Amino acid sequence: MNGLFITLEGPEGAGKTTQIRYLEHYLQDKNISYISLRDPGGTRIGQQVRELLLHPDLTEMGTITELLLYSASRAQLVTEKIRPALESGKVVICDRYIDSTMVYQGFAGSIPANIVESINQVAIQYILPIRTYVLDLPWEIGEQRIQERGSAKDRIEQKSREYHQRVREGYQQLAESQQDRIRLLDGTLPKADLFSVIRSDLEHLIRKHPFNGEMDG
Ligand code: T5A
């Protein structure tokens, strides 16, 4: 597959969506063909599963159910969108992917890592990102950003402070154990400064990898 698969990860309010907007503008400026997706979601089926997963009233949902539903949405996303885009040589940007499940359902939700990994593998059909940017930030800052956003909290955002602190710790450990793929970045940096770090790494990646996309300049 000739495409380039990039994912963004991080705790609540880390700024992934913001960085993805910067990435999209950058790729448009460079005339690089890309697709931008979110997980869960990104397909008709995935969107419905997303609504189920994040519905604030479904508080009885167990962690195993979460694991299976997130994986189901992801399986559809890989089949319908990610694999075809990578096969046609596009850059694929995805807001969250397998690492979210490792951290939210595994590390913070206490499902053993080997079980999360096995289910993830079934869902992703060996398709792994070449680079993952984890935007790291303290719970207090993410929480403040969500409050300022003003909309109601979804089911996962409503989980305890301890749960979300475990999420942050899980990402830090994952980044430490997979340094080839994962870059742990300071999510408290000003938006544009953070994007400069991502852009310079991405430019390096685009130059290094056999990839169908064009890059001028
Ligand atoms: N989940 C997901 C699992 O439990 N398991 C899984 O397997 C998967 C895939 C998904 C939820 O599902 C969970 C994780 C999530 O809880 P979601 O809608 O994708 O839900 O939720 P989030 O990813 O948390 O999306 P958010 O929109 O809440 O956060 P973002 O995208 O990280 O943040 P963003 O860019 O929208 O920014 C939030 C606010 O902060 C400001 C922005 O302007 C915005 O107001 N901001 C900054 N402010 C100062 N400095 C910066 N650098 C800033 N960057 C952004």
Side-chain angles (χ1 to χ4, degrees):
M1 277 184 285
N2 293 325
L4 204 68
F5 186 20
I6 313 283
T7 58
L8 278 94
E9 294 273 358
E12 308 303 305
K16 296 172 286 81
T17 312
T18 305
Q19 293 304 316
I20 288 171
R21 296 291 96 83
Y22 278 106
L23 269 168
E24 290 168 353
H25 286 133
Y26 171 80
L27 294 168
Q28 282 160 17
D29 278 355
K30 297 281 175 195
N31 271 328
I32 295 175
S33 175
Y34 73 93
I35 179 170
S36 179
L37 302 165
R38 70 173 174 180
D39 178 7
T43 64
R44 281 199 320 155
I45 292 169
Q47 190 52 35
Q48 295 206 18
V49 177
R50 179 186 174 90
E51 280 164 27
L52 201 57
L53 274 162
L54 299 183
H55 198 293
D57 293 347
L58 299 178
T59 49
E60 71 274 32
M61 188 180 293
T63 325
I64 297 281
T65 309
E66 285 179 6
L67 168 65
L68 295 170
L69 286 176
Y70 278 114
S71 303
S73 170
R74 185 166 306 135
Q76 192 65 29
L77 187 64
V78 168
T79 305
E80 239 186 80
K81 299 281 174 73
I82 298 178
R83 180 185 286 281
L86 291 174
E87 281 173 352
S88 69
K90 290 185 178 161
V91 172
V92 175
I93 308 167
C94 197
D95 188 341
R96 299 192 181 278
Y97 195 58
I98 46 166
D99 300 306
S100 285
T101 324
M102 287 301 292
V103 166
Y104 281 80
Q105 282 65 51
F107 200 83
S110 301
I111 301 178
N114 63 327
I115 294 179
V116 179
E117 269 166 15
S118 308
I119 307 266
N120 257 340
Q121 282 308 326
V122 174
I124 67 172
Q125 305 152 36
Y126 303 102
I127 296 194
L128 277 167
I130 192 124
R131 178 69 80 240
T132 296
Y133 301 108
V134 172
L135 312 184
D136 175 59
L137 87 172
W139 174 83
E140 291 78 6
I141 297 181
E143 177 69 11
Q144 193 186 337
R145 289 183 186 173
I146 291 169
Q147 305 261 354
E148 283 167 9
R149 185 184 67 196
S151 54
K153 284 187 173 182
D154 65 41
R155 193 181 57 83
I156 302 275
E157 285 169 346
Q158 285 175 5
K159 293 197 184 212
S160 69
R161 176 187 183 138
E162 290 67 35
Y163 178 89
H164 288 292
Q165 277 169 339
R166 294 274 296 159
V167 165
R168 182 186 188 198
E169 212 183 310
Y171 275 124
Q172 290 169 340
Q173 289 194 17
L174 213 53
E176 180 66 29
S177 68
Q178 296 188 47
Q179 295 183 14
D180 281 354
R181 173 173 68 89
I182 302 178
R183 297 283 180 271
L184 187 72
L185 306 178
D186 181 357
T188 67
L189 285 174
K191 297 171 186 180
D193 293 1
L194 185 52
F195 183 65
S196 297
V197 179
I198 293 177
R199 190 189 56 216
S200 95
D201 181 74
L202 183 67
E203 284 174 346
H204 179 69
L205 213 57
I206 287 175
R207 292 208 168 84
K208 209 171 80 180
H209 279 85
F211 161 61
N212 273 352
E214 300 280 320
M215 190 171 164
D216 16 298

